[in-house]
Amino acid sequence: MKRFDYIIVGAGSAGCVLANRLSEDGRYRVLLLETGGSDRSIFIQMPTALSIPMNTKKYAWQFETEPEPHLDGRRMHCPRGKVLGGSSSINGMVYVRGHAGDFDEWQQAGAEGWDYAHCLPYFKRAEQWAFGGDEYRGNEGPLGVNNGNQMQNPLYQAFVDAGVEAGYDATADYNGRQQEGFGPMHMTVKQGVRSSSANAYLRPAMARANLTVQTGALVHKVLLEGKRAVGVRFERAGKMEEVRADKEVILSAGPIGSPHLLQLSGIGNPDTLKQAGIGVLHPLPGVGENLQDHLEFYFQFRCQQPITLNGKLGLWDKFLIGSRWLLRKDGLGATNHFESCGFIRSKAGVPWPDLQYHFLPAAMRYDGREAFAGHGFQVHIGHNKPRSRGQVTVRSADPREAPAIRFNYLSHPDDVEGFRACVRLTREIIGQPALDAYRGEEIQPGASVQSDEQIDAFVRSAVESAYHPSCSCKMGTDALAVVDPQTRVHGLQGLRVVDSSIFPTIPNGNLNAPTLMVAERAADLILGKTPLAALPAEVGLAEYWQEKQRPRAPVRALA
């Protein structure tokens, strides 16, 4: 049996960070196992091609949920990366840390040491911000972060201006002091290429003699001796292999894969394991519970000027965009096209933003297909602090059988109310003078959707996952916590979970940035290093949050 000091399961956003940091000083033998294969594809590396790997079986687990009872029984698409870089190689590359309050919320939930002041230095350590470092931003890290094409399309700035006219603030850097407001959006792109966890962290480390990376490896279970994890069993090229960890096994298989693998290993809720025919080796009722995700829908409008990306969807235009990117790594091929955004609060009494906007100067679906003939634009909007909770549940002892996934979307009335606010507040923003020269007919939801009942019916039929599953192996100390604040699985030795599954609650934003931060900090904890000192930076929190939903009255009231 081959022996390593650390075995990492999953070469995704977190796993690549850990592989780099744990092998950095050369003292430890590190094995990184990944079921998928190489990320050397133009469709992964070219930012504008983001819809392709997400919808390709070669690069992503194409999971589907169980019928969601509050979404008209629909099964929701839940892709997860199956390639070096994991979901950072198939995602939309949007870089949002979340609000400072999200991480203070983690600490209040029992994740001691994971408040914003202790997380901020690890956000900074990870990133290389294109516009230089400051109190909030890092400029020496491996992860490239920029603003794509600097909002060259006039629709981007028009959306920001409309937000200000609607009574909200402008924010120059939502990852800095103040998240709330409208401004440029950031993306994980470096020199025109996707800055995935594989590109940023893994590839520079792969030449190290003490790091072994094995692709095509399907892990069947964690091997336990009593209450200690001693290795893993995996299948590769049709053969079963076992490897031993002299120090620790670390699961970084993601919010679906990590709880599923724990359950396959006999770790979880005893009733769940028995129903799947799996022996109970370590009862831990929270495994797979507390599952959370963001939902969103597209607010789509026709555009009165021929300046949108809908005019660039022909084969010749795609060829020109791709050719320019191959030769120069710039132009429309070098951006994810989400270059402006907004973060607002859904109502007075909400202390920090719970709604997020991604603006796109096109009207199209996530799979890249046109929404309608002609020019259009859309804004993705979602309620980002859901109270609905779901589960990931093993079905059988066969690791190839996908687990049952149920988010229970919109099962909490606060989430339903949040989406009503999404519809009404967005119409007010899009209706401001800044967009008068561009705004045409409202295609979706459509002007006839007005009452609570009509909005609720539209949302049930139209919302999609924002692809942010998380929280299914939550960190904390309560009865449903799976890992402690050191990321160690409760009640076991030599076993940790490090990925977005350990978030206690979901942040207000996309999840790649906080996942990388978690892995950066966890690496120090695993190595026994003193964590980086807290940075008590000032946080922009609206003084009026209890009384007002926004600071000023809109220029034009909602009709």
Side-chain angles (χ1 to χ4, degrees):
M1 187 184 296
K2 294 180 180 179
R3 305 177 73 97
F4 297 86
D5 293 301
Y6 296 104
I7 298 172
I8 304 164
V9 179
S13 296
C16 290
V17 175
L18 294 175
N20 183 304
R21 297 304 188 192
L22 299 185
S23 66
E24 202 164 22
D25 65 7
R27 289 188 295 162
Y28 301 114
R29 299 158 298 160
V30 179
L31 172 64
L32 178 63
L33 297 173
E34 168 57 44
T35 305
S38 171
D39 62 335
R40 295 296 201 186
S41 165
I42 185 175
F43 299 121
I44 290 175
Q45 301 302 328
M46 183 168 62
T48 195
L50 62 94
S51 68
I52 296 176
M54 182 183 296
N55 293 286
T56 302
K57 288 184 178 181
K58 179 179 180 180
Y59 301 124
W61 301 98
Q62 300 295 326
F63 293 126
E64 281 193 338
T65 70
E66 298 299 290
E68 289 288 347
H70 301 279
L71 297 185
D72 297 337
R74 289 192 290 144
R75 293 181 181 269
M76 305 295 282
H77 188 211
C78 184
R80 294 284 87 202
K82 186 178 64 173
V83 62
L84 291 179
S87 292
S88 75
S89 289
I90 69 165
N91 68 5
M93 292 158 282
V94 175
Y95 183 81
V96 183
R97 293 174 174 179
H99 192 275
D102 294 319
F103 306 103
D104 292 341
E105 186 177 76
W106 287 8
Q107 175 144 302
Q108 293 161 10
E112 183 67 32
W114 292 88
D115 59 312
Y116 178 65
H118 286 89
C119 292
L120 179 57
Y122 289 98
F123 278 121
K124 292 183 66 174
R125 185 167 86 174
E127 75 177 359
Q128 187 179 112
W129 175 227
F131 304 103
D134 59 22
E135 184 180 4
Y136 302 92
R137 307 304 298 260
N139 66 344
E140 298 180 354
L143 185 76
V145 182
N146 67 18
N147 179 241
N149 284 330
Q150 305 301 306
M151 304 202 310
Q152 291 180 24
N153 190 305
L155 283 166
Y156 291 121
Q157 187 61 50
F159 176 68
V160 174
D161 293 343
V164 174
E165 289 175 342
Y168 303 98
D169 290 333
T171 181
D173 184 0
Y174 62 82
N175 284 312
R177 177 185 175 277
Q178 180 174 326
Q179 185 189 61
E180 188 167 356
F182 287 74
M185 182 161 256
H186 311 156
M187 64 187 72
T188 48
V189 173
K190 185 176 182 179
Q191 297 175 345
V193 176
R194 176 190 290 268
S195 190
S196 65
S197 192
N199 285 340
Y201 285 92
L202 183 59
R203 196 144 284 110
M206 288 180 75
R208 297 172 187 163
N210 62 320
L211 173 62
T212 301
V213 179
Q214 290 195 344
T215 56
L218 177 65
V219 176
H220 283 223
K221 64 171 58 179
V222 176
L223 302 175
L224 299 178
E225 290 182 0
K227 293 296 182 179
R228 182 171 187 86
V230 297
V232 300
R233 179 179 301 151
F234 66 96
E235 182 179 351
R236 188 167 184 255
K239 296 181 180 179
M240 294 301 300
E241 299 183 42
E242 291 186 358
V243 287
R244 190 173 184 94
D246 290 341
K247 289 187 175 294
E248 292 185 329
V249 175
I250 306 162
L251 302 187
S252 295
I256 308 301
S258 286
H260 188 218
L261 187 52
L262 287 173
Q263 293 167 342
L264 288 169
S265 306
I267 303 166
N269 186 303
D271 291 339
T272 298
L273 300 181
K274 290 173 184 176
Q275 289 174 8
I278 298 172
V280 181
L281 299 183
H282 183 65
L284 199 58
V287 173
E289 298 297 320
N290 195 48
L291 179 66
Q292 297 168 45
D293 189 20
H294 290 148
L295 285 173
E296 65 178 16
F297 66 87
Y298 317 149
F299 232 114
Q300 295 178 326
F301 293 83
R302 294 192 182 276
C303 185
Q304 298 186 89
Q305 297 188 31
I307 58 172
T308 74
L309 295 176
N310 289 74
K312 301 291 184 181
L313 298 179
L315 290 177
W316 179 245
D317 287 295
K318 288 181 177 180
F319 171 77
L320 293 177
I321 291 168
S323 298
R324 176 171 174 173
W325 183 84
L326 284 169
L327 293 171
R328 299 170 49 179
K329 299 297 187 292
D330 65 4
L332 292 177
T335 176
N336 63 7
H337 306 293
F338 293 111
E339 295 186 20
S340 65
C341 64
F343 297 86
I344 65 174
R345 295 175 303 110
S346 60
K347 60 183 178 180
V350 175
W352 64 84
D354 60 340
L355 305 185
Q356 178 183 2
Y357 291 103
H358 301 64
F359 182 83
L360 183 68
M364 63 179 62
R365 298 162 48 89
Y366 261 129
D367 60 11
R369 287 184 289 164
E370 271 187 291
F372 52 80
H375 284 273
F377 62 85
Q378 69 192 36
V379 59
H380 297 213
I381 172 63
H383 177 244
N384 273 9
K385 296 297 286 184
R387 298 185 67 179
S388 302
R389 301 290 184 266
Q391 308 85 28
V392 176
T393 308
V394 65
R395 297 181 192 268
S396 74
D398 182 356
R400 291 180 180 79
E401 184 173 7
I405 304 166
R406 181 179 286 107
F407 288 95
N408 292 317
Y409 293 118
L410 301 184
S411 59
H412 196 285
D414 286 3
D415 302 348
V416 175
E417 182 184 345
F419 271 95
R420 292 173 184 168
C422 287
V423 172
R424 293 191 167 109
L425 295 173
T426 304
R427 278 191 174 133
E428 188 171 50
I429 292 164
I430 301 298
Q432 295 304 309
L435 283 165
D436 282 353
Y438 309 106
R439 182 184 57 255
E441 175 192 3
E442 179 184 315
I443 301 299
Q444 183 176 286
S448 64
V449 177
Q450 295 291 337
S451 69
D452 285 354
E453 293 76 14
Q454 290 168 333
I455 291 172
D456 294 348
F458 163 76
V459 169
R460 288 194 303 270
S461 67
V463 287
E464 300 181 6
S465 171
Y467 308 129
H468 300 161
S470 54
C471 309
S472 52
C473 295
K474 78 169 184 175
M475 177 166 45
T477 55
D478 63 86
L480 288 181
V482 175
V483 301
D484 68 12
Q486 302 291 307
T487 73
R488 301 171 297 202
V489 175
H490 283 295
L492 293 175
Q493 295 179 310
L495 182 61
R496 298 188 196 237
V497 181
V498 179
D499 54 37
S500 66
S501 71
I502 71 171
F503 295 0
T505 55
I506 193 167
N508 179 44
N510 308 68
L511 299 193
N512 189 236
T515 301
L516 298 173
M517 176 276 294
V518 162
E520 283 275 17
R521 191 168 191 273
D524 280 355
L525 298 175
I526 293 165
L527 293 171
K529 294 182 177 180
T530 301
L532 297 178
L535 295 175
E538 182 183 0
V539 176
L541 196 66
E543 295 179 359
Y544 52 81
W545 68 267
Q546 291 180 308
E547 294 82 28
K548 298 199 301 183
Q549 184 263 335
R550 70 190 95 178
R552 300 174 304 280
V555 171
R556 180 183 292 163
L558 184 64

